[in-house]
Amino acid sequence: GEDVEQSLFLSVREGDSSVINCTYTDSSSTYLYWYKQEPGAGLQLLTYIFSNMDMKQDQRLTVLLNKKDKHLSLRIADTQTGDSAIYFCAESIGNTGKLIFGQGTTLQVKP
Amino acid sequence: DSGVTQTPKHLITATGQRVTLRCSPRSGDLSVYWYQQSLDQGLQFLIQYYNGEERAKGNILERFSAQQFPDLHSELNLSSLELGDSALYFCASSVGVSGSSYEQYFGPGTRLTVT
């Protein structure tokens, strides 16, 4: 089946690292994505990882993929108040590219 | 700014009515996707078009339809509207449908309120 699960809320202090976790069920997923949504705004593509990779680093963002456990994580280093938003994990299905999204994790960054 | 535009930004209408949401993809993108975001259902894939042809269908109601025109813009038509159709409707676009051309860029969304 197609299902993506995320924890709903994470609170961190400014300057700390944030780790947002996600699990997915479809083993045929080719790409896995992280999107950020700020209040009243659309979804901003942060990063993505191909399913045959274990890790991808992009400036303050690190994506880890454990394909065996179908577990994806996003680590944000040196978290800033501007990182406060909802973060969505998504998997692409089949050869269409349609995305299945998790429920979103609200990241609260306290000064 | 993702380069994907959507109009209108807000739409308020009554039950039973019909509305059309419009999307212009990023320059060069051939694929357009429509998603619905609501509090109870989250973000749900509705339908995808690639270069004018329907490519994939998700949880799209029969009252909803879409098309992609030769200039690649897309329209989502919602008819016989119900209160439960109130949601944020997003359009996304990507270059193609395989490999890294899967990167989907989202528009700002159209907020539909059905009263």
Side-chain angles (χ1 to χ4, degrees), chain B residues 5-112:
Chain B
T5 60
Q6 289 187 249
T7 56
K9 195 166 181 177
H10 300 279
L11 200 46
I12 302 173
T13 190
T15 53
Q17 294 298 305
R18 173 190 165 94
V19 297
T20 298
L21 313 184
R22 184 189 168 102
C23 167
S24 292
R26 292 186 321 156
S27 177
D29 284 359
L30 298 178
S31 198
V32 168
Y33 309 76
W34 286 97
Y35 294 86
Q36 179 195 59
Q37 185 178 35
S38 62
L39 281 173
D40 53 345
Q41 299 286 329
L43 263 164
Q44 299 255 318
F45 168 75
L46 295 177
I47 197 162
Q48 178 203 5
Y49 281 82
Y50 175 72
N51 205 18
E53 305 257 337
E54 184 184 300
R55 183 73 184 223
K57 227 169 183 174
N59 300 323
I60 187 165
L61 300 169
E62 283 192 16
R63 300 183 285 108
F64 296 1
S65 65
Q67 53 184 326
Q68 185 180 27
F69 295 86
D71 66 352
L72 301 176
H73 91 271
S74 178
E75 291 180 359
L76 179 66
N77 301 296
L78 316 175
S79 61
S80 303
L81 285 166
E82 301 174 1
L83 295 177
D85 298 326
S86 296
L88 199 47
Y89 291 84
F90 286 111
C91 167
S93 72
S94 66
V95 172
V97 291
S98 64
S100 60
S101 63
Y102 274 172
E103 292 176 44
Q104 290 184 33
Y105 293 88
F106 280 71
T110 293
R111 182 168 294 281
L112 173 67

Side-chain angles (χ1 to χ4, degrees), chain A residues 85-104:
Chain A
I86 302 175
Y87 290 80
F88 290 92
C89 162
E91 57 173 346
S92 66
I93 301 295
N95 64 353
T96 64
K98 78 172 190 181
L99 297 180
I100 303 299
F101 284 87
Q103 314 94 302

Side-chain angles (χ1 to χ4, degrees), chain A residues 4-54:
Chain A
V4 178
E5 297 280 336
Q6 295 178 244
S7 52
L8 295 182
F9 186 78
L10 176 66
S11 181
V12 300
R13 291 255 172 232
E14 193 173 18
D16 288 350
S17 289
S18 308
V19 179
I20 302 171
N21 294 300
C22 168
T23 56
Y24 61 97
T25 55
D26 196 314
S27 56
S28 67
S29 296
T30 48
Y31 286 87
L32 294 132
Y33 300 81
W34 284 102
Y35 281 87
K36 175 184 180 183
Q37 186 177 31
E38 295 181 80
L43 282 84
Q44 175 194 352
L45 176 61
L46 288 178
T47 187
Y48 64 94
I49 188 167
F50 186 48
S51 57
N52 70 353
M53 295 169 66
D54 298 323

